[in-house]
C-alpha cells in the first residue's frame, strides 16, 4: 500500500473494541517480525545459527540490509522521540514527487493564466471582426427578399371547370357565372426560388421575380425614386453594381473530338447512339462553381445566324498580383436601367443561352447596407445535374465596408484589442523560447537537435501551442492583406453605383479571402479548446476530463476502427437497398451522413423541406424508419432492425462503457486510500485533492508575500528542491525512503544545501518525515522470508523443473511413436 494511502487511513473512525484488537495483533506481529529479523540478521552478518554467509544471494543480502536500515531507524525514532532533528529520517521520494508535481502545476498555472487572457482578448477580437449576428440578419433579409417571395408561374389557359378552379369570373360582370361554357381562366401556380425544377421555371423566376425585385425605381404610391434611393430594397439594402449572369458548359461525349474519352459513352458499345447521338459528362465543381473538372467546353455558341455570339471570356476580379481571374460565359446587366435588363433577359431566353450543355448557372451581385456598414456578396446558383435535376443553392458572405473607422468607438476598441492580441502572441512565443533556452542551459552537453528532441519530449511541452503560434503568423499575414488590400484603393463611388477603376465591381473573391481567414481562425479556436483541456491538469479536480481522455484514448481509438467499419458496412447496405429511392442514400457521402444521423438519433421529418438557406448551400435532411418504409416496405426492416440492435444496443453501449470505465479508473486514482493513488504526497497526507480556491489563494498569497517581504531565510523553491533531489546519488547508493538528516548533511554540502535548508524542508513538508507506522511498513516490506521458507521454495522450484523435463521426455516419445505408426 502506498505511503499516502496508509496515512489517509489513519483518520478513519473505528470501533474502540476493534481498535484494541487491531493494536494487539499489530504488537504480536511486530514482536514476531523483530524476532525473525533479529535471527536472520544475526545468522547472516554474525555467522550464527550455522548459516552460510557466502551462499546467500545478493538480492537477499541487499534486502536484508534495507530491512536493517528500517529497523535501526525505527529504534532511533523510539529512543529519540523527536528531540534530535539530525536523527530524524525522511522520505526523499515523497519530497521529490511533491516538488515535481507542484512545480509542474505552478508552471501550468502561470502559463495558463496568460494563455486564458490571450484567449479572452482573441475571442473578443474575433467576435467584433465577424459581427456575426448583424451580418446574419442582413444576409437573411436579402435571402428572404428573393428566396421566400412567391410569384405566379404562368401556364396555359384552361376551360372551367376542368382544372383547379370552382368559380369563373366574367370580365364584364361583377358576379361569378359558373355556367358559362366559354369562360376561360389563366391557371397559375405560386412558386418560389426553391420550386425551380426545370429550365422553364428558371426563366419564369428570372422574369417574374428577380428582375422586378432587383430594380426598384418607383415608390409604392407610384412616384419615381430619387437617384440615391433607386434599387434600395426595403429602404436598407442597395446593390453597388448590376448583376452578372455566368455559366460553365460541358462538351458532349459524342460527335466531338472527345467521343472516345467521353465518360458518358464509356460503359456501352455505342448501339444506342442512333437513338441518342450525343450525351454530356458531368462537370465537377466547388460549392460556388468557381472550379471545375472534366472537359469544359470553351467554344463559342449562339444562334443559327450568329453561331459565335457568346464567347468564353475572363473577368478581372481585382488587383492582378493577388486576385485570380474568373472564366466562363457571362453577361453583365445594368445597375438601374430595367428596360435594358428586361431586353437582355428576353434575348438570352430567345437564344436559348441556357441549354443542354450548361452545367451550372450563377447570378452574382453585391449589396451594401449603410446602417450596418456591411457588404453582402450574393450568389444564386443552379446546378443542372446530368440526372435531370435542377438543384438551387444560395451562397452569401458578409464583411465590413471599412475595417477601421476612427470615428467609431467600436472600431477603435477593436484596434486596441488587436494590438493586445499581437503582444500576447509575442509573449507566448517568448515563453516558448525562454523554456527552450533554459533547457539548453541545464543540458549544455547536448547538441541543438538533441536538445530540441529532448525538450519536445517533456511532459510540460505542448505541440498544440507550437502549431497554434505558427498558425497565428499566417493569420496576421492574412489580416494585413485584408486590411491593406490594394483592391480597395481603386474603388470609385457614384450616386447610383460603385466600380473598380472603370470596370464592374464584384467582391466575391475578397469575400473568399475573408471566409478563408475566419476558417483558419476556426481551426485555431479548436486548438484553443484542446489546450484548455490540457490546461485543466493544473488542478486534480479539474483534470478528470483530460486524464479520462488520456486514459481511454488508445482503447477508444481501437474500438473506433470497429465502429467505423460497421458503420461503413451499414452505409453500403443502405445504398444498395434505398439508393435509387431516397436522396439521402444516393451516394456514399450522403449515405454515411444519414446513417450517422440515425445512429445518434437525428432522423428527419418527412414534411421538412430539407434545405436551409442563410449563407450556404442546401443542407441535407435526415431520414428515419418511416421514410425508409414508405419507399421500401419489404426491405426497410432488413436494414433498420439489425442496425438498431448491433449499432445502438451493442456498439454505442460498449463505447459508453469504455468511457465510464476510464472515468471510474481516473476518479479512483484520486482516492488516497487506493493502491493506484497518483496525486501528490501532500494530498494523500491530507486525504483529499487540492481545491481550486486553495490553490489560487496560496499561489497568489505567497507570490504577493514574497514580492513584498522577500523569500524567507533558508527557504528553497520547489524547482530548487527538485534539482537538489535529482543531484543526490541514486537509490542504488542511498536509501531514498529511509535516510537521516545527519547522513544528508554531508551529501548536501556540494549541492549548496545546508542543514538549515533541510530543517526548513522538514517544517515546510512535514509529511516527508517518517513515522513509526511508515518505518514498520518499510520493515515489513523489506523483510525477506526465513531461510527455511527460502529452502522450501528452492525445493519446490526444483520439483517443478523436474516435472517439466519429464513432460518433455513423454512428448518426445509420443511423437516418435506417431512417426513410426505413419511410416
Amino acid at each position: 500500500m502506498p505511503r499516502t494511502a496508509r496515512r489517509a487511513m489513519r483518520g478513519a473512525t473505528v470501533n474502540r473494541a476493534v481498535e484494541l484488537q487491531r493494536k494487539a495483533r499489530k504488537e504480536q506481529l511486530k514482536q514476531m517480525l523483530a524476532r525473525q529479523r533479529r535471527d536472520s540478521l544475526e545468522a547472516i552478518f554474525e555467522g550464527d545459527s550455522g548459516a552460510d554467509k557466502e551462499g546467500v544471494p545478493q538480492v537477499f543480502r541487499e534486502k536484508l540490509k534495507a530491512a536493517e536500515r528500517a529497523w535501526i531507524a525505527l529504534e532511533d525514532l523510539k529512543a529519540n522521540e523527536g528531540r534530535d532533528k539530525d536523527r530524524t529520517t525522511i522520505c526523499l521520494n515523497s519530497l521529490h514527487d511533491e516538488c515535481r508535481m507542484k512545480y509542474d502545476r505552478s508552471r501550468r498555472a502561470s502559463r495558463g493564466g496568460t494563455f486564458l487572457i490571450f484567449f479572452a482578448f482573441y475571442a473578443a477580437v474575433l467576435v467584433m471582426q465577424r459581427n456575426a449576428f448583424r451580418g446574419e440578419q442582413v444576409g437573411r433579409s436579402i435571402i428572404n427578399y428573393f428566396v421566400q417571395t412567391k410569384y405566379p408561374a404562368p401556364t396555359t389557359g384552361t376551360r372551367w371547370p376542368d382544372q383547379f378552379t370552382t368559380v369563373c369570373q366574367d370580365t364584364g360582370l361583377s358576379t361569378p357565372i359558373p355556367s358559362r361554357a366559354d369562360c376561360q381562366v389563366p391557371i397559375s401556380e405560386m412558386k418560389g426560388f426553391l420550386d425551380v425544377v426545370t429550365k422553364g421555371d428558371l426563366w419564369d423566376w428570372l422574369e417574374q421575380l428577380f428582375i422586378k425585385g432587383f430594380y426598384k425605381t418607383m415608390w409604392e404610391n407610384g412616384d419615381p425614386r430619387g437617384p440615391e434611393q433607386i434599387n434600395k430594397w426595403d429602404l436598407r439594402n442597395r446593390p453597388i453594381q448590376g448583376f452578372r449572369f455566368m455559366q460553365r458548359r460541358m462538351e458532349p461525349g459524342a460527335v466531338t473530338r472527345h467521343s472516345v474519352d467521353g465518360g458518358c459513352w464509356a460503359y456501352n458499345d455505342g448501339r444506342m447512339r442512333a437513338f441518342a447521338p450525343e450525351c454530356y459528362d458531368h462537370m465537377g465543381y466547388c460549392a460556388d462553381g468557381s472550379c471545375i473538372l472534366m472537359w469544359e467546353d470553351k467554344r463559342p455558341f449562339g444562334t443559327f445566324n450568329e453561331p459565335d455570339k457568346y464567347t468564353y471570356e475572363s473577368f478581372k476580379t481585382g488587383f492582378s498580383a493577388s486576385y485570380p481571374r474568373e472564366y466562363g460565359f457571362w453577361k453583365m446587366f445594368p445597375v438601374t436601367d430595367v428596360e435594358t435588363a428586361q431586353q437582355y433577359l428576353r434575348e438570352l431566353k430567345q437564344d436559348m443561352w441556357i441549354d443542354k450543355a450548361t452545367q451550372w448557372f450563377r447570378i452574382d451581385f453585391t449589396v451594401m447596407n449603410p446602417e450596418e456598414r456591411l457588404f453582402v456578396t450574393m450568389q444564386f446558383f443552379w446546378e443542372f445535374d446530368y440526372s435531370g435535376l435542377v438543384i438551387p443553392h444560395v451562397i452569401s458572405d458578409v464583411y465590413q465596408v471599412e475595417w477601421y473607422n476612427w470615428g467609431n468607438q467600436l472600431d477603435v476598441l477593436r484596434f486596441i484589442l488587436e494590438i493586445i492580441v499581437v503582444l500576447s502572441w509575442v509573449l507566448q512565443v517568448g515563453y516558448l523560447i525562454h523554456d527552450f533556452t533554459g533547457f539548453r542551459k541545464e543540458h549544455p552537453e547536448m547538441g541543438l537537435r538533441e536538445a530540441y528532441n529532448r525538450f519536445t519530449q517533456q511532459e510540460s511541452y505542448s505541440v498544440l501551442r507550437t502549431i497554434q503560434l505558427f498558425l497565428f503568423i499566417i493569420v496576421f499575414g492574412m489580416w494585413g492583406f485584408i486590411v491593406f488590400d490594394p483592391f480597395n484603393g481603386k474603388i470609385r463611388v457614384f450616386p447610383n453605383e460603385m466600380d473598380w477603376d472603370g470596370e464592374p465591381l464584384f467582391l466575391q473573391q475578397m469575400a473568399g479571402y475573408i471566409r478563408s481567414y475566419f476558417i483558419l481562425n476556426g481551426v485555431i479556436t479548436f486548438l484553443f479548446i484542446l489546450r484548455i483541456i490540457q490546461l485543466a491538469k493544473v488542478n486534480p479536480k479539474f483534470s478528470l476530463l483530460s486524464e479520462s481522455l488520456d486514459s481511454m484514448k488508445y482503447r477508444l481509438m481501437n474500438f473506433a476502427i470497429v465502429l467505423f467499419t460497421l458503420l461503413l458496412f451499414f452505409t453500403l447496405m443502405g445504398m444498395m437497398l434505398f439508393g435509387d429511392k431516397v436522396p439521402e442514400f444516393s451516394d456514399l457521402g450522403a449515405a454515411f451522413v444519414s446513417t450517422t444521423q440515425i445512429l445518434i438519433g437525428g432522423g428527419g421529418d418527412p414534411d421538412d423541406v430539407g434545405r436551409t438557406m442563410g449563407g450556404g448551400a442546401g443542407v441535407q435532411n435526415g431520414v428515419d424508419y418511416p421514410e425508409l418504409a414508405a419507399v421500401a416496405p419489404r426491405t426497410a426492416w432488413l436494414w433498420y432492425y439489425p442496425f438498431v440492435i448491433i449499432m445502438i444496443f451493442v456498439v454505442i453501449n460498449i463505447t459508453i462503457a469504455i468511457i465510464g470505465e476510464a472515468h471510474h479508473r481516473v476518479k479512483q486514482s484520486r482516492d488516497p486510500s487506493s493502491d493506484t493513488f497518483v496525486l501528490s504526497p501532500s494530498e494523500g497526507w491530507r486525504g483529499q485533492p487540492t481545491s481550486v480556491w486553495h490553490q489560487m489563494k496560496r499561489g497568489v498569497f505567497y507570490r504577493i508575500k514574497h514580492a513584498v517581504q522577500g523569500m524567507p531565510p533558508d527557504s528553497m523553491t520547489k524547482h530548487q528542491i527538485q534539482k537538489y533531489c535529482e543531484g543526490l546519488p541514486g537509490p542504488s547508493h542511498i536509501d531514498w525512503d529511509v535516510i537521516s538528516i545527519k547522513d544528508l548533511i554531508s551529501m548536501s554540502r556540494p549541492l549548496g544545501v545546508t542543514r538549515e535548508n533541510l530543517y526548513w524542508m522538514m517544517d515546510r513538508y512535514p509529511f516527508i518525515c517518517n513515522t513509526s507506522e511508515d518505518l514498520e511498513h518499510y520493515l515489513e516490506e523489506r523483510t525477506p522470508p526465513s531461510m527455511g521458507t527460502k529452502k522450501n521454495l528452492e525445493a519446490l522450484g526444483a520439483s517443478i523443473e523436474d516435472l517439466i523435463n519429464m513432460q518433455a521426455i513423454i512428448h518426445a516419445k509420443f511423437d516418435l511413436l506417431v512417426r513410426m505408426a505413419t511410416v
Side-chain angles (χ1 to χ4, degrees):
M1 183 180 293
R3 176 190 182 96
T4 54
R6 297 193 308 274
R7 293 190 170 181
M9 293 177 63
R10 291 182 202 159
T13 304
V14 295
N15 186 274
R16 180 62 178 168
V18 176
E19 180 69 17
L20 292 176
Q21 293 178 6
R22 189 184 66 82
K23 287 184 177 180
R25 288 196 302 268
K26 181 178 177 182
E27 189 64 29
Q28 293 175 2
L29 177 62
K30 186 189 303 182
Q31 293 176 4
M32 181 184 68
L33 290 174
R35 184 167 57 254
Q36 177 182 344
R37 189 169 296 104
R38 183 173 59 253
D39 295 341
S40 299
L41 294 177
E42 289 176 355
I44 292 176
F45 296 105
E46 297 180 6
D48 296 343
S49 303
D52 185 5
K53 186 175 181 180
E54 298 298 330
V56 177
Q58 181 65 26
V59 176
F60 190 76
R61 294 170 60 85
E62 293 295 334
K63 200 162 187 178
L64 281 173
K65 289 180 180 179
E68 184 183 22
R69 289 193 294 269
W71 176 262
I72 294 173
L74 181 61
E75 295 298 329
D76 285 347
L77 180 64
K78 292 179 179 178
N80 183 29
E81 295 181 355
R83 291 188 295 270
D84 187 1
K85 286 188 175 183
D86 289 352
R87 296 174 62 183
T88 303
T89 59
I90 65 173
C91 180
L92 289 176
N93 283 319
S94 296
L95 179 64
H96 181 262
D97 291 344
E98 174 74 15
C99 294
R100 178 181 57 82
M101 292 183 182
K102 292 299 181 66
Y103 177 67
D104 179 66
R105 291 180 189 175
S106 64
R107 286 190 63 190
R108 290 179 184 272
S110 59
R111 296 291 189 266
T114 57
F115 163 76
L116 291 178
I117 295 174
F118 178 32
F119 176 71
F121 285 114
Y122 170 73
V125 166
L126 276 186
V127 170
M128 298 180 71
Q129 287 179 350
R130 191 56 170 161
N131 194 11
F133 177 75
R134 304 308 304 169
E136 191 274 338
Q137 296 285 324
V138 175
R140 183 148 56 93
S141 68
I142 300 174
I143 290 174
N144 290 339
Y145 182 75
F146 286 104
V147 174
Q148 302 298 331
T149 306
K150 301 290 184 177
Y151 69 96
T155 58
T156 305
T158 306
R159 287 184 180 274
W160 178 86
D162 294 341
Q163 290 185 3
F164 307 125
T165 61
T166 57
V167 175
C168 180
Q169 181 73 37
D170 189 278
T171 56
L173 301 174
S174 59
T175 59
I177 307 177
S179 61
R180 291 281 299 272
D182 58 346
C183 179
Q184 295 184 356
V185 294
I187 304 302
S188 63
E189 181 184 0
M190 300 303 293
K191 289 186 177 181
F193 173 81
L194 296 178
D195 300 316
V196 174
V197 295
T198 65
K199 293 182 175 65
D201 290 340
L202 175 58
W203 288 114
D204 290 342
W205 183 83
L206 293 173
E207 292 175 344
Q208 301 294 328
L209 195 148
F210 182 75
I211 292 291
K212 295 179 180 179
F214 189 91
Y215 295 100
K216 291 292 184 181
T217 58
M218 306 293 290
W219 293 107
E220 287 77 4
N221 60 2
D223 294 339
R225 296 191 180 191
E228 69 281 357
Q229 298 295 334
I230 293 178
N231 293 352
K232 205 166 189 180
W233 310 326
D234 299 328
L235 303 180
R236 294 292 183 268
N237 302 306
R238 188 183 189 191
I240 65 174
Q241 182 62 264
F243 56 90
R244 174 182 62 178
F245 282 4
M246 187 174 182
Q247 67 160 302
R248 292 283 184 90
R249 302 171 63 81
M250 190 68 187
E251 291 188 4
V255 302
T256 69
R257 63 186 178 89
H258 298 298
S259 59
V260 178
D261 300 329
C264 61
W265 289 115
Y267 303 104
N268 63 70
D269 57 4
R271 292 181 300 158
M272 302 296 176
R273 295 195 183 187
F275 180 79
E278 62 181 8
C279 64
Y280 292 85
D281 293 325
H282 181 64
M283 180 185 297
Y285 62 95
C286 297
D288 58 352
S290 60
C291 58
I292 55 92
L293 300 172
M294 298 295 293
W295 300 104
E296 183 181 6
D297 190 358
K298 301 180 181 179
R299 298 171 301 174
F301 72 99
T303 62
F304 180 80
N305 295 325
E306 297 180 82
D308 298 336
K309 183 176 182 178
Y310 302 106
T311 59
Y312 190 83
E313 301 177 79
S314 65
F315 186 83
K316 192 174 182 180
T317 61
F319 188 63
S320 59
S322 57
Y323 286 78
R325 302 179 73 89
E326 287 190 351
Y327 299 90
F329 297 91
W330 53 279
K331 179 70 173 179
M332 285 295 306
F333 284 72
V335 64
T336 58
D337 192 350
V338 61
E339 288 81 7
T340 302
Q342 291 175 341
Q343 179 183 351
Y344 286 170
L345 186 63
R346 287 192 296 268
E347 181 180 0
L348 292 176
K349 183 178 180 180
Q350 182 68 29
D351 295 342
M352 296 185 66
W353 190 70
I354 300 176
D355 59 8
K356 57 187 175 181
T358 303
Q359 289 289 298
W360 53 258
F361 165 66
R362 196 178 73 197
I363 304 176
D364 301 332
F365 59 92
T366 302
V367 178
M368 177 181 174
N369 186 297
E371 284 80 5
E372 298 291 346
R373 299 187 304 123
L374 294 175
F375 280 133
V376 184
T377 62
M378 300 297 303
Q379 292 181 330
F380 291 91
F381 183 78
W382 290 266
E383 175 195 358
F384 300 104
D385 190 75
Y386 52 70
S387 64
L389 288 175
V390 179
I391 307 173
H393 305 275
V394 176
I395 302 172
S396 66
D397 286 291
V398 180
Y399 64 96
Q400 298 189 33
V401 175
E402 293 179 341
W403 291 105
Y404 296 106
N405 183 354
W406 305 116
N408 190 315
Q409 297 180 354
L410 291 178
D411 286 356
V412 175
L413 176 61
R414 193 188 75 234
F415 177 75
I416 295 174
L417 294 178
E418 289 170 351
I419 297 298
I420 295 176
V421 168
V422 174
L423 295 178
S424 300
W425 175 81
V426 173
L427 182 63
Q428 295 289 323
V429 174
Y431 280 148
L432 185 61
I433 297 175
H434 177 267
D435 293 342
F436 179 68
T437 54
F439 183 82
R440 285 292 309 276
K441 290 180 180 179
E442 295 177 0
H443 304 85
E445 72 281 358
M446 296 183 184
L448 180 61
R449 175 170 296 190
E450 182 183 2
Y452 174 77
N453 293 333
R454 290 283 300 276
F455 174 74
T456 55
Q457 294 173 1
Q458 294 184 114
E459 185 179 359
S460 59
Y461 174 78
S462 174
V463 65
L464 296 176
R465 178 176 66 169
T466 305
I467 296 175
Q468 198 175 42
L469 295 178
F470 174 75
L471 291 179
F472 266 107
I473 299 177
I474 303 177
V475 165
F476 293 153
M478 293 181 67
W479 181 248
F481 178 82
I482 292 171
V483 173
F484 301 104
D485 176 29
F487 181 76
N488 292 330
K490 294 186 178 181
I491 294 179
R492 302 188 306 176
V493 181
F494 300 97
N496 291 331
E497 63 178 333
M498 302 181 189
D499 65 16
W500 184 78
D501 199 19
E503 298 184 11
L505 175 62
F506 292 95
L507 302 177
Q508 276 77 14
Q509 291 296 331
M510 191 62 198
Y513 281 116
I514 297 174
R515 188 192 316 148
S516 302
Y517 168 79
F518 285 109
I519 289 174
L520 184 57
N521 279 281
V523 174
I524 293 177
T525 305
F526 177 73
L527 295 179
F528 267 116
I529 296 173
L530 298 181
R531 287 194 63 193
I532 288 175
I533 294 176
Q534 287 185 341
L535 180 62
K537 294 181 179 179
V538 72
N539 184 269
K541 292 188 176 181
F542 276 1
S543 62
L544 277 174
L545 174 61
S546 58
E547 296 195 12
S548 296
L549 291 175
D550 288 341
S551 176
M552 69 179 176
K553 59 183 177 182
Y554 295 112
R555 295 184 62 190
L556 200 59
M557 190 180 302
N558 295 333
F559 189 73
I561 297 175
V562 180
L563 174 63
F564 178 79
T565 304
L566 292 174
L567 202 60
L568 182 60
F569 286 157
F570 278 104
T571 298
L572 296 174
M573 184 178 175
M575 286 183 61
M576 290 185 286
L577 294 177
F578 319 114
D580 60 336
K581 303 177 182 67
V582 181
E584 288 78 8
F585 282 92
S586 58
D587 63 81
L588 184 62
F592 188 83
V593 172
S594 299
T595 306
T596 306
Q597 287 179 341
I598 297 175
L599 179 64
I600 62 178
D605 183 0
D607 297 329
D608 194 0
V609 176
R611 183 179 299 273
T612 59
M613 310 314 298
V619 177
Q620 174 182 304
N621 188 27
V623 296
D624 211 333
Y625 182 74
E627 291 81 15
L628 301 179
V631 297
R634 297 183 180 180
T635 57
W637 66 270
L638 185 62
W639 180 89
Y640 187 80
Y641 290 111
F643 178 82
V644 170
I645 294 173
I646 296 175
M647 298 300 296
I648 298 179
F649 290 164
V650 178
V651 175
I652 292 298
N653 284 285
I654 292 177
T655 305
I656 296 173
I658 292 174
I659 298 173
E661 180 188 2
H663 181 267
H664 174 72
R665 186 166 54 249
V666 172
K667 192 173 181 180
Q668 190 178 20
S669 66
R670 277 150 175 71
D671 184 4
S673 61
S674 173
D675 292 338
T676 59
F677 185 71
V678 295
L679 299 183
S680 65
S682 62
E683 291 168 326
W685 184 60
R686 291 195 303 269
Q688 62 179 1
T690 304
S691 65
V692 180
W693 172 247
H694 177 78
Q695 191 175 8
M696 293 177 58
K697 181 178 66 175
R698 288 184 65 88
V700 174
F701 173 75
Y702 278 111
R703 286 178 184 271
I704 296 176
K705 182 179 178 180
H706 295 165
V708 175
Q709 302 178 359
M711 293 287 291
D714 305 325
S715 63
M716 298 175 65
T717 63
K718 293 181 178 64
H719 187 54
Q720 291 173 341
I721 298 175
Q722 180 183 352
K723 293 301 179 184
Y724 159 70
C725 293
E726 293 173 356
L728 291 172
S732 59
H733 296 83
I734 62 173
D735 193 338
W736 275 57
D737 289 323
V738 182
I739 186 169
S740 65
I741 298 296
K742 181 180 180 181
D743 295 335
L744 275 178
I745 290 174
S746 58
M747 301 178 189
S748 304
R749 289 194 186 99
L751 300 176
V753 177
T754 63
R755 182 194 304 267
E756 289 73 18
N757 295 135
L758 296 174
Y759 289 166
W760 179 86
M761 293 181 200
M762 293 171 58
D763 296 335
R764 177 65 180 84
Y765 307 105
F767 54 87
I768 67 173
C769 299
N770 288 318
T771 63
S772 59
E773 186 178 2
D774 297 328
L775 295 173
E776 288 171 3
H777 177 74
Y778 293 140
L779 192 59
E780 184 178 350
E781 277 187 341
R782 300 176 180 186
T783 300
S786 63
M787 297 300 294
T789 305
K790 179 176 176 295
K791 292 179 180 179
N792 294 335
L793 292 175
E794 291 176 353
L796 179 61
S799 300
I800 294 174
E801 185 176 359
D802 293 340
L803 181 61
I804 294 174
N805 293 333
M806 290 178 63
Q807 187 178 10
I809 294 172
I810 293 173
H811 286 173
K813 291 181 178 181
F814 181 76
D815 293 340
L816 179 61
L817 291 174
V818 171
R819 286 196 299 270
M820 291 175 64
T822 56
V823 174

